[in-house]
Amino acid sequence: MASKPSLKRRTLKLVRKTFGDRSALELGGRSLRNVVKFRTGSPIERRDFYAVRNGSGERFGVFGIGGCDVTAITGAGPLLSRAHRGTLCVGSFAKADHVRSDLLVQTLDPPDPAVTREVVEKLGLIDHYFSPALFDPTFRVPDQQGLGEFPKNVVVLSISADTARTVYRHREHGFLVDPGGWWLTTDMATVLDDLSVTKWFAKNFVTARRISLEDSMANFERIITEVRKRTGAFVVLMNVLTVDPGSSSLDYMHANSPHRVRRREFHLAVAELAARTNVALLDVDRIAKETGISRQADFVHYTPDQKRRMSEQLARLLISEGVIGNGRG
Amino acid sequence: MTDRATDPHPSTVTVMLVDSADVSGSVGRAGFLESHLRPHDAGGSVVEVITVSGGRCDVLAQRLESAHSPDLPVPAELATWFGDTTAPVQLPDSMAVLVLSMADALTAGVWRHRTTGVLVQPPPDRAEIWSAQAEEWLVDGFEPVPPDSDLLTAGVGNIAKHLEPLDAALVVLNTSTYVPGEEVFWYMPDDPETRAIRAARINLVADRLIPDLGLTVVDVDRVMAELGAGESVAGPAQYTTDALEVLAEEALASIRDLPRIHRDFSSDAMRLAVPRYDRRTERGVLTRWHVDTGALVGKGDPLFDLRFDGIYAHLDATGENAGRSLFLSVVAGRAGFVDTITVPAGGAVEVGTGVGVITVAAGTQWDDIENAAAFPVGVKVETRDGQ
């Protein structure tokens, strides 16, 4: 016999029924609950961040930015907390449609807000889409303002968006934007009923296509330089799985496979970039292959087993390099 | 000599295998290709498998060019070794497929004669079996030739050039980029290239040649990753016996899909079998058919869904996908008619068991289906709520 839903679940159901999913009340309640947990020393674990207060030492922050793949670093939190007496946060900003390298470089010289305001509104972008948030010396966990600010002691940069995303250029003002999955994640009836945004986008933007390997690496080199200069962070590059999980055994016959080729090209270029800029590399390609890719849906979504290994490797790197622990951090 | 252009069924179809560990351990196993490529009838073509000694692609290209290669003054004591790497390779008129491995580019050293330019590939264990004099002769007379991308590209291109007049296909096995024990966090500009990076360069060479040369690449890198390279890769380009068996099936499917092989050896009726997902899955349930008998299916069309017991248990254990089941959707690898369904939805299945029959033409008569070729399929993974 099914058990009766708990009081917590019934309350949540009532709140959602009254105010809708992810209402300010629901998010505020969660945030408050997490702050209480955090202040009492309990870790807060979510897919995209881990935070814990472990004694009265300094704050230490690991900030990851990339596509869905970058959530693989969150599991490093519990491991790093053993090496750090103080407050720790491992946060991953996993938004593939915000983080292609040319979009990040663009934030260093942002377009006029008067021009971009309409774009932010119509495409439902986050408020700081055109702001250089990556290069700020601190970060906050979205929806968890009560946890406070964390320094960017470590910045993990994933290249996955550069291998896959297409961005668009404003015909008049020249700035770039990735509209993301707006047309796909919005109810189809809504989209078809009102095509004004679609028409507006088509009128004002033109595709800038996928980024070239050379441009991407030049952008990342600049990003690494600026992140180091503005935050003092220890920078880690994260590569990407080069093979296609679940592909049919016969799809190589006399066919070009541009995605696989492109990812292999990026894989080699990132190793060269890491050497050139003296940046550590989290080799997720190797870890994913070693663990087994057959349960992956695609090249950028990793399984729990793979994520655990990636987090372990990141923690091992940061501890062995003395970035955290041994009195540092 | 038979006129190849006018005779649609030459009596012998030759598959040449370049003998490296991955080829010889997979499709090169004794009798493997002969038993899987069987003629339509008693008067049909027969497959002939020829193995030539292993070699990096530029060395093999030189051997195919043997008529133009100058003689090399090889000392008598090394003639056995270098005889292998410099002996000419003659392609027979019946040549249909050459199966080449890129593994030697990762693991073998190639040296170029300083004056004649002739390439040689000394045995990898020469430090143990060669005399000091032989080593001195090599170092004095030759220089090492690193496997840079341009060289490998030219090597594969030259091989393809020799195959073209014979209308023969080139099948290339790339190599796993996973190298046990080679975990690297820091790449330094002056450090020697890691083997994993070298393997990635080698695989990129093969990938880039696909559209230009029309070659078929068997993605060993993906196969090993699907099996879990930590278990399936024993060393640089060295794979476990289990992994080589899976690789054999993958390479066989690619060879079967080549037009000439398909024309001469594909049966009109093919066995639709449960594909292997990974080593841990042996038994499961065929949960749903997406097609009925008589349906025409094309490449990529869904055929049936599977749920493997091992996967279901694994997901329950992780908790990440609580309440969800992982399903494998088996899709067609080429076109055919669904002639017969032998296992209905809900039926228990094991990897390799037949669940139906696919025919090339509707209404084709068939028998002895257990010995027929397997219909090529692909596998897609998806999760579904509440099942």
Side-chain angles (χ1 to χ4, degrees), chain A residues 4 28 38 43 49 56 63 94 97 102 115 127 136 138 150 170 294 302-303:
Chain A
K4 194 175 172 184
F38 183 66
F49 85 96
S56 57
F63 180 75
D97 51 350
D102 43 6
V115 174
D127 291 341
D136 290 345
T138 60
F150 291 88
H170 195 279
S294 57
Y302 297 115
T303 66

mmCIF file of all heavy atoms in Angstrom, chain A residues 4 28 38 43 49 56 63 94 97 102 115 127 136 138 150 170 294 302-303:
data_model
loop_
_atom_site.group_PDB
_atom_site.id
_atom_site.type_symbol
_atom_site.label_atom_id
_atom_site.label_comp_id
_atom_site.label_asym_id
_atom_site.label_seq_id
_atom_site.Cartn_x
_atom_site.Cartn_y
_atom_site.Cartn_z
ATOM 1 N N LYS A 4 1.374 7.556 2.933
ATOM 2 C CA LYS A 4 0.824 8.906 2.824
ATOM 3 C C LYS A 4 1.974 9.896 2.590
ATOM 4 O O LYS A 4 3.024 9.771 3.245
ATOM 5 C CB LYS A 4 0.110 9.235 4.129
ATOM 6 C CG LYS A 4 -0.796 10.438 4.066
ATOM 7 C CD LYS A 4 -1.524 10.566 5.393
ATOM 8 C CE LYS A 4 -2.285 11.876 5.437
ATOM 9 N NZ LYS A 4 -2.917 12.073 6.752
ATOM 10 N N GLY A 28 12.465 30.875 -2.131
ATOM 11 C CA GLY A 28 12.881 31.532 -0.899
ATOM 12 C C GLY A 28 12.905 30.561 0.267
ATOM 13 O O GLY A 28 13.817 30.575 1.101
ATOM 14 N N PHE A 38 23.347 25.198 6.346
ATOM 15 C CA PHE A 38 24.722 25.638 6.139
ATOM 16 C C PHE A 38 25.323 26.204 7.433
ATOM 17 O O PHE A 38 26.435 25.863 7.825
ATOM 18 C CB PHE A 38 24.698 26.712 5.044
ATOM 19 C CG PHE A 38 26.031 27.243 4.647
ATOM 20 C CD1 PHE A 38 26.962 26.430 4.024
ATOM 21 C CD2 PHE A 38 26.348 28.568 4.862
ATOM 22 C CE1 PHE A 38 28.185 26.940 3.637
ATOM 23 C CE2 PHE A 38 27.568 29.074 4.481
ATOM 24 C CZ PHE A 38 28.490 28.257 3.871
ATOM 25 N N PRO A 43 26.379 19.952 5.176
ATOM 26 C CA PRO A 43 26.649 20.279 3.769
ATOM 27 C C PRO A 43 25.359 20.400 2.970
ATOM 28 O O PRO A 43 24.380 19.729 3.267
ATOM 29 C CB PRO A 43 27.477 19.082 3.284
ATOM 30 C CG PRO A 43 27.134 17.969 4.198
ATOM 31 C CD PRO A 43 26.766 18.579 5.516
ATOM 32 N N PHE A 49 25.907 22.562 -7.202
ATOM 33 C CA PHE A 49 26.826 23.128 -6.214
ATOM 34 C C PHE A 49 26.875 22.291 -4.947
ATOM 35 O O PHE A 49 25.962 21.512 -4.644
ATOM 36 C CB PHE A 49 26.474 24.584 -5.903
ATOM 37 C CG PHE A 49 25.404 24.767 -4.851
ATOM 38 C CD1 PHE A 49 25.751 24.998 -3.525
ATOM 39 C CD2 PHE A 49 24.068 24.707 -5.185
ATOM 40 C CE1 PHE A 49 24.774 25.164 -2.558
ATOM 41 C CE2 PHE A 49 23.084 24.880 -4.228
ATOM 42 C CZ PHE A 49 23.442 25.108 -2.899
ATOM 43 N N SER A 56 35.970 27.720 11.326
ATOM 44 C CA SER A 56 35.912 29.175 11.141
ATOM 45 C C SER A 56 36.986 29.693 10.182
ATOM 46 O O SER A 56 37.287 30.879 10.160
ATOM 47 C CB SER A 56 36.061 29.863 12.503
ATOM 48 O OG SER A 56 37.281 29.449 13.100
ATOM 49 N N PHE A 63 34.949 27.371 -8.929
ATOM 50 C CA PHE A 63 33.900 27.828 -9.838
ATOM 51 C C PHE A 63 34.100 27.172 -11.200
ATOM 52 O O PHE A 63 35.123 27.362 -11.852
ATOM 53 C CB PHE A 63 33.966 29.356 -9.965
ATOM 54 C CG PHE A 63 32.917 29.926 -10.878
ATOM 55 C CD1 PHE A 63 31.606 30.023 -10.466
ATOM 56 C CD2 PHE A 63 33.246 30.375 -12.151
ATOM 57 C CE1 PHE A 63 30.628 30.558 -11.308
ATOM 58 C CE2 PHE A 63 32.283 30.902 -12.999
ATOM 59 C CZ PHE A 63 30.968 30.994 -12.567
ATOM 60 N N ALA A 94 26.408 25.720 -15.308
ATOM 61 C CA ALA A 94 26.275 24.820 -16.455
ATOM 62 C C ALA A 94 25.212 25.341 -17.404
ATOM 63 O O ALA A 94 24.048 24.965 -17.332
ATOM 64 C CB ALA A 94 25.923 23.415 -15.973
ATOM 65 N N ASP A 97 24.438 27.491 -23.472
ATOM 66 C CA ASP A 97 24.092 28.582 -24.381
ATOM 67 C C ASP A 97 24.583 29.941 -23.880
ATOM 68 O O ASP A 97 24.259 30.967 -24.462
ATOM 69 C CB ASP A 97 22.571 28.618 -24.625
ATOM 70 C CG ASP A 97 21.777 28.615 -23.338
ATOM 71 O OD1 ASP A 97 22.376 28.403 -22.277
ATOM 72 O OD2 ASP A 97 20.546 28.819 -23.393
ATOM 73 N N ASP A 102 33.563 32.899 -27.404
ATOM 74 C CA ASP A 102 33.438 34.265 -27.937
ATOM 75 C C ASP A 102 32.392 35.067 -27.161
ATOM 76 O O ASP A 102 32.504 36.291 -27.059
ATOM 77 C CB ASP A 102 33.148 34.275 -29.447
ATOM 78 C CG ASP A 102 32.124 33.250 -29.875
ATOM 79 O OD1 ASP A 102 31.538 32.588 -28.988
ATOM 80 O OD2 ASP A 102 31.909 33.098 -31.084
ATOM 81 N N VAL A 115 21.090 48.663 -25.934
ATOM 82 C CA VAL A 115 20.867 47.870 -27.145
ATOM 83 C C VAL A 115 20.507 46.433 -26.791
ATOM 84 O O VAL A 115 19.678 45.800 -27.453
ATOM 85 C CB VAL A 115 22.151 47.890 -28.020
ATOM 86 C CG1 VAL A 115 21.999 46.965 -29.211
ATOM 87 C CG2 VAL A 115 22.473 49.298 -28.453
ATOM 88 N N ASP A 127 20.090 38.113 -16.478
ATOM 89 C CA ASP A 127 20.360 39.556 -16.457
ATOM 90 C C ASP A 127 21.814 39.889 -16.785
ATOM 91 O O ASP A 127 22.100 40.891 -17.434
ATOM 92 C CB ASP A 127 19.995 40.141 -15.080
ATOM 93 C CG ASP A 127 18.492 40.121 -14.862
ATOM 94 O OD1 ASP A 127 17.764 40.020 -15.874
ATOM 95 O OD2 ASP A 127 18.055 40.181 -13.696
ATOM 96 N N ASP A 136 34.784 38.195 -12.469
ATOM 97 C CA ASP A 136 34.672 38.734 -11.112
ATOM 98 C C ASP A 136 35.494 37.853 -10.165
ATOM 99 O O ASP A 136 35.528 36.631 -10.329
ATOM 100 C CB ASP A 136 33.204 38.724 -10.638
ATOM 101 C CG ASP A 136 32.367 39.747 -11.381
ATOM 102 O OD1 ASP A 136 32.970 40.625 -12.017
ATOM 103 O OD2 ASP A 136 31.121 39.641 -11.336
ATOM 104 N N THR A 138 34.791 37.006 -7.216
ATOM 105 C CA THR A 138 33.963 36.161 -6.345
ATOM 106 C C THR A 138 32.753 35.658 -7.110
ATOM 107 O O THR A 138 32.444 36.153 -8.203
ATOM 108 C CB THR A 138 33.469 36.957 -5.120
ATOM 109 O OG1 THR A 138 32.689 38.066 -5.582
ATOM 110 C CG2 THR A 138 34.638 37.466 -4.279
ATOM 111 N N PHE A 150 31.777 33.688 -2.477
ATOM 112 C CA PHE A 150 32.945 32.809 -2.358
ATOM 113 C C PHE A 150 34.035 33.305 -3.307
ATOM 114 O O PHE A 150 33.738 33.722 -4.435
ATOM 115 C CB PHE A 150 32.575 31.364 -2.715
ATOM 116 C CG PHE A 150 31.674 30.725 -1.707
ATOM 117 C CD1 PHE A 150 30.294 30.854 -1.823
ATOM 118 C CD2 PHE A 150 32.188 30.024 -0.632
ATOM 119 C CE1 PHE A 150 29.454 30.291 -0.888
ATOM 120 C CE2 PHE A 150 31.351 29.453 0.311
ATOM 121 C CZ PHE A 150 29.978 29.582 0.189
ATOM 122 N N HIS A 170 24.298 40.116 -34.136
ATOM 123 C CA HIS A 170 23.320 41.174 -34.413
ATOM 124 C C HIS A 170 23.732 41.896 -35.698
ATOM 125 O O HIS A 170 24.877 42.320 -35.841
ATOM 126 C CB HIS A 170 23.264 42.167 -33.245
ATOM 127 C CG HIS A 170 22.061 43.048 -33.282
ATOM 128 N ND1 HIS A 170 22.006 44.168 -34.079
ATOM 129 C CD2 HIS A 170 20.863 42.964 -32.648
ATOM 130 C CE1 HIS A 170 20.821 44.754 -33.923
ATOM 131 N NE2 HIS A 170 20.098 44.031 -33.060
ATOM 132 N N SER A 294 28.999 3.500 -22.406
ATOM 133 C CA SER A 294 27.798 2.908 -23.010
ATOM 134 C C SER A 294 26.510 3.383 -22.354
ATOM 135 O O SER A 294 25.444 3.233 -22.919
ATOM 136 C CB SER A 294 27.883 1.390 -22.971
ATOM 137 O OG SER A 294 28.058 0.955 -21.646
ATOM 138 N N TYR A 302 27.367 13.095 -18.622
ATOM 139 C CA TYR A 302 28.097 11.965 -18.041
ATOM 140 C C TYR A 302 27.250 11.225 -17.010
ATOM 141 O O TYR A 302 26.317 11.777 -16.432
ATOM 142 C CB TYR A 302 29.402 12.463 -17.410
ATOM 143 C CG TYR A 302 30.338 13.069 -18.427
ATOM 144 C CD1 TYR A 302 30.665 14.420 -18.384
ATOM 145 C CD2 TYR A 302 30.859 12.297 -19.455
ATOM 146 C CE1 TYR A 302 31.506 14.981 -19.332
ATOM 147 C CE2 TYR A 302 31.692 12.851 -20.403
ATOM 148 C CZ TYR A 302 32.014 14.198 -20.350
ATOM 149 O OH TYR A 302 32.830 14.745 -21.302
ATOM 150 N N THR A 303 27.620 9.982 -16.781
ATOM 151 C CA THR A 303 26.885 9.138 -15.826
ATOM 152 C C THR A 303 27.401 9.417 -14.408
ATOM 153 O O THR A 303 28.490 9.986 -14.229
ATOM 154 C CB THR A 303 27.102 7.659 -16.157
ATOM 155 O OG1 THR A 303 28.488 7.353 -15.939
ATOM 156 C CG2 THR A 303 26.728 7.346 -17.593
#
